[in-house]
Amino acid sequence: MTQRPIHNRIAADYRALAARRRSYSAILWGIFIALMVAGFRLANARSAGGFRAGLPQILDYPAELVAEAWSKAAGLPGLMAGFLPALVETIDIAAVSTILGALGGAVGALLSTRGLAPWPRLVPLFRRLMDITRAIPDIVIALLLIFVLGGGPIPAALAISFHTAGALGKMFSEVAENASLAPVEGLESVGANWLQRMMLGVLPQVAPDWLSYAALRFEINIRASAILGFVGAGGIGYELRNAISWGQGRYDAAAAVFLLLFLTIVAVDQASSAIRNRLTGGRAAR
């Protein structure tokens, strides 16, 4: 007799909680829609000629670029070959920034994971530091470094490394939280220090996932390094900015850069996907 009132009360509480969640979701969606509408109105008010008036012409530039590139298709392979050194520079920036960011993310993950951190009281501090590195856009960091160091690949690599360390640190930490502590405790019982416990007890468990995330981040960093080229950080992005600024008559050069960058990103995407599948598949097989 006493169980039914308790059951009814639990059901009523659950329905009330579900109703509150639906209300919160409706409020958040309303705020989101209001911000989107306000943003479009602001863009329409501030853009030259009006945002709405320019929408029908949004495909005019791509159409001109494709038409001119098609008429000069015979010269595209030569132009693409000429841009290969800039592409190699972009890949170098992405590779260096991925390696540096992965090392920083690994250290940050081990210092901010409960049960593994050498200073448990400082775990919130290290997590907030990773939040900061992840929250600041890499293009903002690049602009600051370009002002200090000048243009070139070094500011781009440092900026992307800074952002990559925060992004990978977050993912690395989530993987490390699921690592078994039994090997760590066993190593501690025989007198191993913290670094030895991490190297021998934790890294063998998390290495497949960490390498998989790093491979994915390398693909993302190639696009990031190309974008930073627009602000003077070198690489294929710098060549793309110059090609676009030349305007009509040199659209074939812009198309060559677009095509080269597209093929590179597709190739790296396929390679990184194969590496990630091999790593995670091999781990599952073991």
Side-chain angles (χ1 to χ4, degrees):
M1 295 295 293
T2 59
Q3 292 182 352
R4 188 169 185 82
I6 295 176
H7 175 76
N8 292 337
R9 187 170 66 252
I10 293 175
D13 292 341
Y14 174 77
R15 288 192 294 269
L17 178 61
R20 284 197 299 271
R21 288 183 175 178
R22 288 192 296 269
S23 300
Y24 294 153
S25 298
I27 293 172
L28 290 176
W29 274 109
I31 294 174
F32 174 75
I33 293 173
L35 291 175
M36 290 292 294
V37 171
F40 278 117
R41 286 186 174 181
L42 181 63
N44 185 64
R46 292 191 175 183
S47 61
F51 181 75
R52 296 177 184 174
L55 281 178
Q57 305 171 3
I58 192 171
L59 296 178
D60 289 353
Y61 175 76
E64 292 179 4
L65 189 147
V66 171
E68 183 173 331
W70 183 260
S71 65
K72 302 178 180 179
L76 288 181
L79 290 173
M80 293 171 64
F83 289 126
L84 281 177
L87 177 64
V88 172
E89 184 178 18
T90 295
I91 295 176
D92 288 343
I93 292 172
V96 171
S97 60
T98 302
I99 293 173
L100 294 178
L103 292 175
V107 174
L110 294 177
L111 294 177
S112 62
T113 302
R114 293 185 177 88
L116 300 178
W119 307 292
R121 293 185 178 181
L122 297 181
V123 166
L125 174 62
F126 289 117
R127 289 194 173 187
R128 298 296 80 76
L129 289 176
M130 288 197 301
D131 291 341
I132 293 173
T133 60
R134 189 170 59 253
I136 302 176
D138 45 17
I139 191 170
V140 175
I141 304 171
L143 289 173
L144 294 175
L145 292 176
I146 288 174
F147 179 77
V148 176
L149 303 175
I154 294 179
L158 292 177
I160 300 175
S161 300
F162 188 81
H163 191 272
T164 299
L168 287 181
K170 173 65 174 178
M171 293 186 286
F172 287 178
S173 178
E174 292 178 354
V175 174
E177 287 177 351
N178 297 321
S180 173
L181 295 180
V184 178
E185 294 171 352
L187 289 168
E188 185 177 9
S189 66
V190 296
N193 58 35
W194 179 80
L195 183 59
Q196 291 171 334
R197 296 197 300 270
M198 297 300 103
M199 293 292 294
L200 301 176
V202 176
L203 287 185
Q205 301 182 62
V206 302
D209 283 321
W210 282 16
L211 291 174
S212 175
Y213 284 133
L216 175 62
R217 192 68 199 184
F218 174 64
E219 173 194 338
I220 297 172
N221 286 345
I222 290 180
R223 291 192 290 268
S225 60
I227 293 172
L228 292 184
F230 274 83
V231 296
I236 196 71
Y238 180 75
E239 299 294 340
L240 180 59
R241 187 189 69 174
N242 290 338
I244 292 176
S245 65
W246 287 333
Q248 195 170 10
R250 295 302 304 273
Y251 281 160
D252 54 335
V257 176
F258 276 124
L259 186 58
L260 186 61
L261 186 59
F262 171 76
L263 294 176
T264 301
I265 290 176
V266 170
V268 172
D269 175 63
Q270 294 298 318
S272 63
S273 296
I275 293 173
R276 293 197 303 272
N277 291 335
R278 187 183 182 94
L279 289 170
T280 56
R283 180 196 57 187
R286 289 194 296 270

